[in-house]
Amino acid sequence: LNLRHFFVTGTGTDIGKTYVTAGLIRAVSEAGGTIDALKPVMSGFDLGRAEQSDAGILLAALRRSVDEANLAAISPWRFTAPLAPDLAARQEKRVLEYKAVRSFCAQRLAAIKDHVLLEGVGGILSPIAESMPSLRLAADLGVPALLVCGTYLGALSHCLTAIETAKAWGVPIEAVIANETPGAPLPLAVFCAHMAEFTQARIFPLGREDATPFSALARELGLC
Ligand SMILES: Nc1ncnc2c1ncn2[C@@H]1O[C@H](COP(=O)(O)OP(=O)(O)OP(=O)(O)O)[C@@H](O)[C@H]1O
Ligand SMILES: [Mg+2]
């Protein structure tokens, strides 16, 4: 089995990274394959609503129960404040050391005998630990990225900026997932065609509430 790992990142927070990661996990398992996921650092975590957290959503897609042990296994750094994780950690007087996050991920990637989707935090330069942007993790682990962007007015520039930044950091963007923004000014296909005039990146349109693209995307990415 040729293992493929991807860093799932986005142009910003709330853009659809977890939605895409969970969609890909389900598509791979529906195709009879297996896959794993990590969300090493998570903020805005409420133990009473763990099912709604990113790790909870990923565990459900993986068909694992949302309990302490399973949460800790895929998401060891969980913080309460809905802030950038470095700030959320400071509020709890906890240390969020980049080296520890990186070595946890490296160890898990080496140990897991499956494809792994690794969800970052917020946008590509959002902090994932003290003084360290998320993209650094993909660069250090040598994992290519899936970039989720929206289709609102202005999304094109946000997406191209992220693509250029990833290029500068040496992180290949395997695919851009254009995740339709509710109320977007353009039909999804028109947005994607426009973006294709500005980048060579592979662009996958993802409509609202439409799970059908995930099986095609999973196959294209070599996940099943
Ligand atoms: N294509 C879509 N169709 C329907 N709902 C969507 C779609 N994309 C995202 N959503 C919803 O939008 C919300 C934000 O998406 P999601 O949680 O995946 O973002 P995120 O980038 O992972 O955010 P965070 O930075 O907090 O990790 C979620 O409620 C999700 O279910
Ligand atoms: Mg998320």
Side-chain angles (χ1 to χ4, degrees):
L1 184 70
N2 188 13
L3 293 186
R4 316 273 337 253
H5 305 321
F6 294 105
F7 183 71
V8 184
T9 187
T11 51
T13 189
D14 228 23
I15 201 73
K17 298 180 299 294
T18 304
Y19 184 84
V20 165
T21 308
L24 283 171
I25 292 169
R26 284 194 207 91
V28 170
S29 36
E30 275 156 28
T34 52
I35 188 162
D36 212 326
L38 296 171
K39 169 83 188 188
V41 177
M42 189 162 62
S43 55
F45 177 72
D46 174 357
L47 187 56
R49 300 171 72 237
E51 287 80 14
Q52 277 113 294
S53 71
D54 284 8
I57 290 167
L58 298 181
L59 286 172
L62 291 164
R63 301 198 181 108
R64 293 180 203 154
S65 63
V66 183
D67 57 37
E68 279 275 2
N70 285 341
L71 284 167
I74 70 165
S75 191
W77 290 274
R78 304 180 301 282
F79 302 98
T80 308
L83 295 172
D86 54 338
L87 300 182
R90 281 180 220 171
Q91 280 202 354
E92 296 177 24
K93 310 235 183 305
R94 286 166 64 194
V95 207
L96 176 54
E97 205 195 1
Y98 174 70
K99 274 188 190 163
V101 176
R102 187 189 59 198
S103 61
F104 165 79
C105 293
Q107 279 170 20
R108 293 308 298 143
L109 291 183
I112 295 170
K113 299 289 171 244
D114 255 320
H115 310 300
V116 179
L117 299 177
L118 200 165
E119 184 183 338
V121 166
I124 59 172
L125 294 186
S126 298
I128 196 155
E130 284 295 339
S131 314
M132 211 54 93
S134 287
L135 192 60
R136 177 69 185 271
L137 190 58
D140 285 350
L141 297 169
V143 174
L146 306 179
L147 177 67
V148 183
C149 72
T151 66
Y152 50 88
L153 183 63
L156 179 61
S157 174
H158 290 162
C159 187
L160 296 174
T161 304
I163 290 172
E164 291 302 318
T165 305
K167 209 178 282 174
W169 284 60
V171 176
I173 301 281
E174 284 283 327
V176 170
I177 294 109
N179 188 20
E180 189 171 35
T181 305
L186 292 172
L188 184 56
V190 175
F191 177 90
C192 291
H194 192 211
M195 181 178 285
E197 294 176 28
F198 294 88
T199 176
Q200 303 290 312
R202 283 194 285 187
I203 305 163
F204 272 83
L206 176 62
R208 301 294 299 174
E209 315 290 343
D210 181 8
T212 44
F214 289 119
S215 52
L217 180 57
R219 273 196 310 276
E220 281 267 340
L221 295 173
L223 295 172
C224 59

